[in-house]
């Protein structure tokens, strides 16, 4: 795979191109979220606090439902200041995953998505596929990663099994990430999941942030249990 598709190292030229793409997409998303439509945001302080005030190097994972193809980037156009999109190399702009067979099917599409801090995931290849290791690398740098645990656009808004990639990232990161869940609705009215797939105006959407979830103690206890079990098994084998 070409390094321009998956590299997360920001050269000067890459930062400039990424800033341009991120700002154009972010500004357009802001217009559709806040100007052409109305988006109500509840408990935004929870998001802002964890985004800006978490300890340096502490990774952040946000998770939410996936109702429309416009969820990302329009949701983030609603909640982030426009200045954020000018500095994509900073951990105040998320990394995210998108289906490789859809968003990375053409070189130009791949480049645009990659410049927007989107990484190609192969659906069905599991949580240990190579790109997940790269996501771990970004988390280990203290970055922010956004995940749609449903793994697809849930057009019928059914209760479906959540993918366990978030669990793998939480368990394997060098520094246990903080997880912030949120829920949104109405974005499938802004971009309906039906032909001709045209963005709408005059719609209403809502974003509701929860409270951060810390897994530090759970991960620490599981590691202790694993170490104790490994030691006991090793002792039995010696005997």
């Amino acid at each position: 795979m070409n390094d321009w598709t998956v590299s997360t190292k920001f050269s000067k030229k890459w930062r400039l191109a990424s800033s341009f793409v991120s700002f154009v997409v972010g500004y357009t998303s802001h217009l559709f979220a806040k100007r052409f439509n109305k988006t109500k945001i509840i408990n935004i302080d929870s998001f802002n606090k964890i985004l800006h005030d978490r300890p340096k190097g502490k990774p952040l994972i946000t998770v939410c439902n996936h109702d429309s193809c416009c969820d990302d980037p329009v949701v983030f156009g609603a909640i982030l200041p426009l200045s954020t999109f000018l500095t994509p190399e900073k951990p105040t702009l998320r990394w995210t995953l998108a289906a490789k067979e859809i968003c990375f099917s053409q070189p130009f599409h791949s480049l645009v998505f990659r410049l927007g801090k989107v990484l190609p995931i192969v659906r069905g290849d599991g949580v240990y596929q190579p790109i997940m290791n790269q996501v771990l690398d970004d988390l280990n740098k203290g970055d922010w990663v956004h995940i749609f645990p449903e793994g697809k656009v849930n057009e019928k808004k059914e209760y479906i099994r959540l993918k366990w990639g978030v669990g793998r990232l939480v368990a394997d990161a060098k520094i246990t990430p903080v997880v912030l869940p949120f829920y949104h609705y109405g974005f499938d009215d802004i971009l309906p999941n039906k032909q001709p797939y045209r963005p709408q105006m005059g719609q209403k959407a809502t974003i509701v942030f929860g409270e951060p979830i810390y897994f530090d103690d759970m991960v620490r206890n599981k590691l202790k249990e694993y170490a104790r079990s490994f030691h006991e098994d090793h002792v039995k084998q010696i005997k």
Side-chain angles (χ1 to χ4, degrees):
M1 186 178 293
N2 296 327
D3 60 357
W4 53 261
T5 304
V6 299
S7 173
T8 59
K9 296 180 180 179
F10 284 90
S11 66
K12 186 175 181 180
K13 290 182 179 179
W14 189 267
R15 283 199 303 268
L16 182 61
S18 183
S19 297
F20 175 77
V21 170
S22 297
F23 185 78
V24 169
V25 174
Y27 183 71
T28 304
S29 299
H30 176 81
L31 289 177
F32 273 96
K34 307 289 282 188
R35 305 299 178 185
F36 302 152
N37 300 280
K38 293 183 179 180
T39 300
K40 182 179 180 180
I41 305 173
I42 299 174
N43 201 25
I44 186 66
D45 289 343
S46 177
F47 170 71
N48 286 332
K49 183 176 180 180
I50 205 67
L51 181 63
H52 298 290
D53 297 337
R54 70 186 188 277
K56 185 177 181 180
K58 183 74 169 177
L60 170 64
I61 299 176
T62 53
V63 294
C64 74
N65 54 308
H66 200 5
D67 294 345
S68 170
C69 290
C70 80
D71 292 343
D72 187 338
V74 178
V75 165
F76 299 106
I79 64 176
L80 293 173
L82 290 176
S83 58
T84 303
F85 299 100
L86 292 173
T87 54
E89 73 278 8
K90 294 184 178 181
T92 48
L93 186 61
R94 95 287 173 266
W95 288 99
T96 194
L97 298 165
K100 181 180 178 182
E101 74 276 12
I102 297 175
C103 299
F104 293 80
S105 58
Q106 300 294 330
F108 177 73
H109 296 166
S110 298
L111 180 60
V112 171
F113 277 102
R114 181 60 193 81
L115 287 168
K117 298 185 72 172
V118 182
L119 299 174
I121 191 81
V122 180
R123 293 188 287 191
D125 273 14
V127 299
Y128 291 102
Q129 59 182 284
I131 201 64
M132 290 293 286
N133 296 329
Q134 185 172 343
V135 174
L136 266 179
D137 290 341
D138 291 320
L139 287 173
N140 289 333
K141 298 173 187 175
D143 279 353
W144 166 25
V145 175
H146 179 74
I147 302 288
F148 293 105
E150 292 167 303
K152 65 177 183 179
V153 176
N154 188 358
E155 297 182 20
K156 297 181 180 180
K157 301 180 182 179
E158 301 172 313
Y159 289 102
I160 59 178
R161 181 182 67 85
L162 302 181
K163 311 302 182 184
W164 60 285
V166 173
R168 190 251 160 147
L169 295 174
V170 169
D172 289 353
K174 292 180 180 178
I175 300 177
T176 304
V178 57
V179 178
L180 181 68
F182 66 92
Y183 182 82
H184 60 78
Y185 54 93
F187 286 92
D188 53 338
D189 292 325
I190 295 177
L191 183 62
N193 295 314
K194 58 184 179 181
Q195 294 183 344
Y197 304 111
R198 291 175 181 171
Q200 304 295 305
M201 299 185 185
Q203 305 299 317
K204 294 182 180 180
T206 302
I207 303 170
V208 183
F209 283 96
E211 297 299 327
I213 305 173
Y214 295 89
F215 292 94
D216 302 70
D217 291 341
M218 179 185 295
V219 172
R220 192 180 302 113
N221 291 336
K222 287 297 181 182
L223 287 174
K224 289 180 180 179
E225 290 179 12
Y226 176 79
R228 183 168 56 251
S229 176
F230 178 82
H231 175 73
E232 292 174 351
D233 291 343
H234 185 64
V235 171
K236 289 180 180 178
Q237 291 177 3
I238 295 176
K239 291 179 178 180

